[in-house]
Amino acid sequence: VANRMMPVDQYIGGVEHAILHLLYSRFFTRAMKATGHVAMDEPFAGMFTQGMVVHETYKKQDGTFASPAEINIETVGDKRSATLLTTKESVEIGPIEKMSKSKRNTVDPDEIIGTFGADAARWFMLSDSPPEGDVIWSEEGVQGVARFMQRVWRLVGELKGIAAPLGAQAPAEAGELALTIRKATHNALAKVEDDIVRLRFNRCIAHANELVNKLGQTIGSIEDASGIGADVAFAAREAAEGLVMLIAPMMPH
């Protein structure tokens, strides 16, 4: 079974696991090959090291750390200050570091999911930086994603309102508006297909943003939805379905 199922196509893990998961799995694979149990040299065909989720730290006057949930941040001009929500005590804003229990700079995922949903958290983490880079967590970033999700929802609804019926065939000829919609859709799908296999998730999300902007501008230019032709109706259905498929790997729900 091992020889049939392995090696694993892609190993993805944080750099802190390289001396544990990766080292042990390679050791046991080579040991089992030496004893004749498997025929492979390596357990993984490819390896990708992902970045960390990081957050700034907050140190109280007694030298202990406070969590982000206990802090109120105020910004005046280009200066930021932090105080405890309970006592209004001034808190030192420290450097951005890997989230850890000792520095208490962790964010409770249940609170994020409860407020914005799992898709918003996932989309923000993938869009903020290349997957091999660190992600600087920010509440403002997640709020921006939540607004984008609502925009996508409205856009798909608008496209559905003018879309051709399910299973409709593409007309033999297409006007300028229909071609604009179809080109934007196919261009985005081609780019995402190319980038997603290279684990360039942040670029996939950038392509999705571009498509949403383009479709929003194009649909917004239609003054009379009742007078559109079959070519535009087909392009609208194709765009709605293409957009949903394009964002699904990063925003499945």
Side-chain angles (χ1 to χ4, degrees), residues 197-253:
V197 296
R198 293 174 169 81
L199 306 181
R200 298 171 179 169
F201 304 121
N202 60 314
R203 293 178 58 169
C204 294
I205 288 176
H207 301 322
N209 289 332
E210 292 174 6
L211 178 59
V212 167
N213 290 335
K214 185 67 175 179
L215 292 177
Q217 294 169 3
T218 306
I219 298 302
S221 68
I222 299 176
E223 298 180 357
D224 183 12
S226 62
I228 65 171
D231 58 339
V232 175
F234 176 83
R237 171 162 290 282
E238 187 178 52
E241 293 176 350
L243 176 59
V244 171
M245 287 190 292
L246 183 149
I247 66 175
M250 288 81 67
M251 193 185 288
H253 296 106

Coordinates of all heavy atoms in Angstrom, one line a residue, residues 197-253:
V197 N -1.8 26.3 -8.9 CA -1.0 25.1 -8.8 C 0.4 25.4 -8.4 O 1.2 24.6 -7.9 CB -0.9 24.4 -10.2 CG1 -2.3 23.9 -10.6 CG2 -0.4 25.3 -11.3
R198 N 0.8 26.7 -8.4 CA 2.1 27.2 -7.9 C 2.0 27.7 -6.5 O 2.9 28.3 -6.0 CB 2.6 28.3 -8.8 CG 3.0 27.8 -10.2 CD 3.4 28.9 -11.1 NE 4.0 28.4 -12.4 CZ 3.3 28.0 -13.4 NH1 2.0 28.0 -13.4 NH2 4.0 27.5 -14.5
L199 N 0.8 27.5 -5.9 CA 0.5 27.9 -4.5 C 0.6 29.4 -4.3 O 0.9 29.9 -3.2 CB 1.5 27.2 -3.5 CG 1.5 25.7 -3.6 CD1 2.5 25.2 -2.5 CD2 0.1 25.1 -3.3
R200 N 0.3 30.2 -5.4 CA 0.4 31.7 -5.3 C -1.1 32.2 -5.0 O -1.7 32.8 -5.8 CB 0.8 32.2 -6.6 CG 2.3 31.8 -7.0 CD 2.6 32.3 -8.4 NE 3.9 31.9 -8.8 CZ 4.4 32.0 -10.1 NH1 3.6 32.4 -11.0 NH2 5.6 31.7 -10.4
F201 N -1.5 31.8 -3.8 CA -2.9 32.1 -3.4 C -3.2 33.6 -3.4 O -4.3 34.1 -3.7 CB -3.2 31.5 -2.1 CG -3.0 30.0 -2.1 CD1 -2.1 29.5 -1.2 CD2 -3.6 29.2 -3.0 CE1 -1.9 28.1 -1.1 CE2 -3.4 27.8 -3.0 CZ -2.5 27.3 -2.0
N202 N -2.2 34.4 -3.0 CA -2.4 35.9 -2.9 C -2.6 36.4 -4.3 O -3.4 37.4 -4.5 CB -1.2 36.6 -2.2 CG 0.1 36.3 -2.9 OD1 0.4 35.2 -3.3 ND2 0.9 37.4 -3.1
R203 N -2.0 35.9 -5.3 CA -2.2 36.3 -6.7 C -3.5 35.9 -7.2 O -4.2 36.6 -7.9 CB -1.0 35.8 -7.6 CG 0.3 36.5 -7.2 CD 1.4 36.0 -8.1 NE 1.2 36.2 -9.5 CZ 2.1 36.0 -10.4 NH1 3.4 35.6 -10.1 NH2 1.9 36.2 -11.7
C204 N -4.0 34.7 -6.8 CA -5.3 34.2 -7.2 C -6.4 35.2 -6.7 O -7.3 35.5 -7.4 CB -5.6 32.8 -6.6 SG -4.5 31.5 -7.3
I205 N -6.2 35.7 -5.4 CA -7.2 36.6 -4.8 C -7.1 37.9 -5.5 O -8.1 38.6 -5.7 CB -6.9 36.7 -3.3 CG1 -7.3 35.4 -2.6 CG2 -7.6 37.9 -2.7 CD1 -7.1 35.3 -1.2
A206 N -5.9 38.3 -6.0 CA -5.8 39.6 -6.7 C -6.5 39.5 -8.0 O -7.2 40.4 -8.5 CB -4.3 39.9 -7.0
H207 N -6.5 38.3 -8.7 CA -7.2 38.1 -10.0 C -8.7 38.2 -9.7 O -9.5 38.7 -10.5 CB -6.8 36.8 -10.6 CG -5.4 36.7 -10.9 ND1 -4.6 37.7 -11.4 CD2 -4.5 35.6 -10.8 CE1 -3.3 37.3 -11.6 NE2 -3.3 36.0 -11.2
A208 N -9.1 37.6 -8.6 CA -10.6 37.6 -8.2 C -11.0 39.1 -8.0 O -12.1 39.4 -8.4 CB -10.8 36.8 -7.0
N209 N -10.2 39.8 -7.3 CA -10.6 41.3 -7.1 C -10.7 42.0 -8.4 O -11.6 42.8 -8.6 CB -9.5 41.9 -6.2 CG -9.5 41.4 -4.8 OD1 -10.6 41.0 -4.3 ND2 -8.4 41.5 -4.1
E210 N -9.8 41.8 -9.3 CA -9.8 42.4 -10.6 C -11.1 42.0 -11.4 O -11.7 42.9 -12.0 CB -8.6 42.0 -11.4 CG -7.3 42.6 -10.9 CD -6.1 42.0 -11.7 OE1 -6.3 41.3 -12.7 OE2 -4.9 42.3 -11.3
L211 N -11.5 40.8 -11.3 CA -12.7 40.3 -12.0 C -13.9 41.0 -11.4 O -14.8 41.4 -12.1 CB -12.8 38.8 -12.0 CG -14.0 38.2 -12.6 CD1 -14.1 38.6 -14.1 CD2 -14.1 36.7 -12.5
V212 N -14.0 41.0 -10.1 CA -15.1 41.6 -9.4 C -15.2 43.1 -9.8 O -16.4 43.6 -10.1 CB -15.0 41.5 -7.9 CG1 -16.0 42.4 -7.2 CG2 -15.2 40.0 -7.5
N213 N -14.1 43.8 -9.8 CA -14.2 45.2 -10.2 C -14.6 45.4 -11.7 O -15.4 46.3 -12.0 CB -12.8 45.8 -10.1 CG -12.4 46.0 -8.6 OD1 -13.2 46.1 -7.7 ND2 -11.1 46.0 -8.3
K214 N -14.1 44.6 -12.6 CA -14.4 44.6 -14.0 C -15.9 44.3 -14.2 O -16.6 45.1 -14.9 CB -13.5 43.7 -14.8 CG -13.7 43.8 -16.3 CD -13.3 45.1 -16.8 CE -13.3 45.1 -18.3 NZ -12.9 46.4 -18.9
L215 N -16.4 43.3 -13.6 CA -17.8 42.9 -13.8 C -18.7 43.9 -13.2 O -19.8 44.3 -13.7 CB -18.1 41.5 -13.1 CG -17.4 40.3 -13.8 CD1 -17.7 39.0 -13.0 CD2 -17.8 40.2 -15.2
G216 N -18.3 44.5 -12.0 CA -19.1 45.5 -11.4 C -19.3 46.7 -12.3 O -20.4 47.3 -12.4
Q217 N -18.2 47.2 -12.9 CA -18.2 48.3 -13.8 C -19.1 48.0 -15.0 O -19.8 48.8 -15.5 CB -16.8 48.7 -14.2 CG -15.9 49.2 -13.1 CD -14.4 49.3 -13.5 OE1 -14.1 49.1 -14.6 NE2 -13.6 49.7 -12.5
T218 N -18.9 46.8 -15.6 CA -19.6 46.4 -16.8 C -21.1 46.3 -16.6 O -21.9 46.9 -17.3 CB -19.0 45.1 -17.3 OG1 -17.6 45.2 -17.5 CG2 -19.7 44.8 -18.7
I219 N -21.5 45.6 -15.5 CA -22.9 45.5 -15.2 C -23.5 46.8 -14.8 O -24.7 47.1 -15.2 CB -23.1 44.5 -14.0 CG1 -22.6 43.1 -14.4 CG2 -24.5 44.4 -13.6 CD1 -23.2 42.5 -15.7
G220 N -22.7 47.6 -14.2 CA -23.3 49.0 -13.8 C -23.5 49.9 -15.0 O -24.3 50.8 -14.9
S221 N -22.9 49.5 -16.1 CA -23.1 50.4 -17.3 C -24.3 50.0 -18.1 O -24.7 50.7 -19.0 CB -21.9 50.2 -18.3 OG -21.8 48.9 -18.8
I222 N -25.0 48.9 -17.7 CA -26.3 48.5 -18.4 C -27.4 49.3 -17.8 O -27.7 49.3 -16.6 CB -26.5 47.0 -18.1 CG1 -25.4 46.2 -18.7 CG2 -27.9 46.6 -18.7 CD1 -25.5 44.7 -18.4
E223 N -28.0 50.2 -18.6 CA -29.0 51.1 -18.2 C -30.4 50.4 -18.2 O -31.2 50.7 -17.3 CB -29.1 52.3 -19.1 CG -27.8 53.1 -19.1 CD -27.9 54.3 -20.0 OE1 -28.9 54.5 -20.7 OE2 -26.9 55.1 -20.0
D224 N -30.7 49.5 -19.2 CA -31.9 48.8 -19.2 C -31.7 47.3 -19.3 O -31.4 46.8 -20.3 CB -32.7 49.3 -20.5 CG -34.1 48.7 -20.6 OD1 -34.5 48.1 -19.6 OD2 -34.7 48.8 -21.6
A225 N -31.9 46.7 -18.1 CA -31.6 45.2 -18.1 C -32.6 44.4 -18.9 O -32.3 43.3 -19.4 CB -31.7 44.8 -16.6
S226 N -33.8 45.0 -19.1 CA -34.8 44.2 -19.9 C -34.5 44.2 -21.4 O -35.1 43.4 -22.1 CB -36.2 44.9 -19.7 OG -36.2 46.2 -20.1
G227 N -33.6 45.1 -21.8 CA -33.4 45.1 -23.2 C -32.1 44.4 -23.7 O -31.6 44.6 -24.8
I228 N -31.4 43.7 -22.8 CA -30.2 43.1 -23.2 C -30.4 41.9 -24.1 O -31.5 41.2 -24.0 CB -29.4 42.6 -21.9 CG1 -30.1 41.5 -21.2 CG2 -29.1 43.8 -21.0 CD1 -29.3 40.9 -20.1
G229 N -29.4 41.6 -24.9 CA -29.6 40.5 -25.9 C -29.1 39.1 -25.3 O -28.6 39.1 -24.1
A230 N -29.3 38.1 -26.1 CA -29.0 36.7 -25.6 C -27.5 36.6 -25.4 O -27.1 35.8 -24.5 CB -29.4 35.7 -26.6
D231 N -26.7 37.4 -26.1 CA -25.2 37.3 -25.9 C -24.8 37.8 -24.6 O -24.0 37.2 -23.9 CB -24.5 38.1 -27.0 CG -24.9 39.5 -27.1 OD1 -26.0 39.9 -26.5 OD2 -24.1 40.3 -27.7
V232 N -25.4 38.9 -24.1 CA -25.0 39.4 -22.8 C -25.6 38.6 -21.7 O -24.9 38.3 -20.7 CB -25.6 40.9 -22.7 CG1 -25.3 41.4 -21.2 CG2 -24.9 41.8 -23.7
A233 N -26.8 38.0 -21.9 CA -27.4 37.1 -20.9 C -26.5 35.9 -20.7 O -26.3 35.4 -19.6 CB -28.8 36.7 -21.3
F234 N -26.0 35.3 -21.8 CA -25.1 34.1 -21.7 C -23.8 34.5 -21.0 O -23.3 33.8 -20.1 CB -24.8 33.6 -23.1 CG -23.8 32.4 -23.0 CD1 -24.3 31.1 -22.7 CD2 -22.5 32.6 -23.3 CE1 -23.4 30.1 -22.7 CE2 -21.6 31.6 -23.2 CZ -22.0 30.3 -22.9
A235 N -23.3 35.7 -21.4 CA -22.0 36.1 -20.7 C -22.2 36.4 -19.2 O -21.3 36.1 -18.5 CB -21.5 37.4 -21.4
A236 N -23.4 36.9 -18.8 CA -23.6 37.1 -17.4 C -23.7 35.8 -16.7 O -23.1 35.7 -15.5 CB -24.9 37.9 -17.3
R237 N -24.3 34.8 -17.2 CA -24.4 33.5 -16.5 C -23.0 32.9 -16.4 O -22.6 32.3 -15.4 CB -25.3 32.5 -17.3 CG -25.2 31.0 -16.8 CD -26.4 30.2 -17.2 NE -27.6 30.6 -16.5 CZ -27.8 30.3 -15.2 NH1 -27.0 29.5 -14.5 NH2 -28.9 30.6 -14.6
E238 N -22.2 32.9 -17.5 CA -20.9 32.4 -17.5 C -20.0 33.1 -16.5 O -19.2 32.5 -15.8 CB -20.3 32.6 -18.9 CG -18.9 31.9 -19.1 CD -18.4 32.0 -20.5 OE1 -18.4 33.2 -21.0 OE2 -18.1 31.0 -21.1
A239 N -20.2 34.4 -16.4 CA -19.4 35.2 -15.4 C -19.7 34.9 -14.0 O -18.9 34.7 -13.1 CB -19.6 36.7 -15.7
A240 N -21.0 34.7 -13.7 CA -21.5 34.4 -12.4 C -20.9 33.0 -12.0 O -20.4 32.8 -10.9 CB -23.0 34.4 -12.3
E241 N -21.1 32.0 -12.8 CA -20.6 30.7 -12.5 C -19.0 30.7 -12.4 O -18.5 30.0 -11.6 CB -21.0 29.7 -13.6 CG -22.5 29.5 -13.6 CD -23.0 28.6 -14.8 OE1 -22.2 28.3 -15.7 OE2 -24.2 28.2 -14.8
G242 N -18.4 31.4 -13.3 CA -16.9 31.5 -13.3 C -16.4 32.1 -12.1 O -15.4 31.6 -11.5
L243 N -17.1 33.2 -11.6 CA -16.6 33.9 -10.4 C -16.8 33.0 -9.2 O -15.9 32.9 -8.3 CB -17.5 35.2 -10.2 CG -17.2 36.0 -8.9 CD1 -15.7 36.4 -8.9 CD2 -18.1 37.2 -8.9
V244 N -17.9 32.2 -9.1 CA -18.1 31.4 -7.9 C -17.0 30.2 -7.9 O -16.5 29.9 -6.9 CB -19.5 30.8 -8.0 CG1 -19.7 29.7 -6.9 CG2 -20.5 31.9 -7.7
M245 N -16.8 29.7 -9.1 CA -15.7 28.6 -9.2 C -14.4 29.2 -8.9 O -13.5 28.5 -8.2 CB -15.7 28.0 -10.6 CG -16.9 27.1 -10.8 SD -16.8 26.1 -12.4 CE -16.9 27.5 -13.6
L246 N -14.1 30.4 -9.3 CA -12.8 31.0 -9.1 C -12.5 31.2 -7.6 O -11.4 31.0 -7.1 CB -12.7 32.3 -9.9 CG -11.5 33.1 -9.9 CD1 -11.4 33.8 -11.3 CD2 -11.5 34.2 -8.8
I247 N -13.5 31.7 -6.8 CA -13.2 32.0 -5.4 C -13.4 30.8 -4.5 O -13.0 30.8 -3.4 CB -14.1 33.2 -4.9 CG1 -15.6 32.7 -4.9 CG2 -13.9 34.4 -5.8 CD1 -16.5 33.8 -4.3
A248 N -14.0 29.7 -5.1 CA -14.4 28.6 -4.2 C -13.2 28.0 -3.5 O -13.3 27.6 -2.3 CB -15.1 27.5 -5.0
P249 N -12.0 27.8 -4.1 CA -10.9 27.2 -3.3 C -10.5 28.0 -2.1 O -10.0 27.4 -1.1 CB -9.8 27.1 -4.4 CG -10.4 27.1 -5.7 CD -11.6 28.0 -5.5
M250 N -10.6 29.3 -2.2 CA -10.2 30.2 -1.1 C -11.4 30.6 -0.2 O -11.2 31.0 1.0 CB -9.5 31.4 -1.6 CG -8.1 31.2 -2.1 SD -8.1 30.6 -3.8 CE -8.8 32.0 -4.8
M251 N -12.6 30.5 -0.7 CA -13.8 31.0 0.0 C -14.9 30.0 -0.3 O -15.9 30.3 -1.0 CB -14.2 32.4 -0.5 CG -15.2 33.1 0.4 SD -15.7 34.7 -0.3 CE -14.3 35.7 0.1
P252 N -14.8 28.8 0.2 CA -15.8 27.7 -0.2 C -17.2 27.9 0.2 O -18.1 27.4 -0.5 CB -15.1 26.5 0.4 CG -14.3 27.0 1.5 CD -13.8 28.3 1.1
H253 N -17.4 28.5 1.3 CA -18.8 28.5 1.8 C -19.7 29.6 1.2 O -20.9 29.4 1.1 CB -18.8 28.7 3.4 CG -18.2 27.5 4.1 ND1 -16.9 27.6 4.6 CD2 -18.6 26.3 4.3 CE1 -16.6 26.4 5.2 NE2 -17.6 25.6 4.9

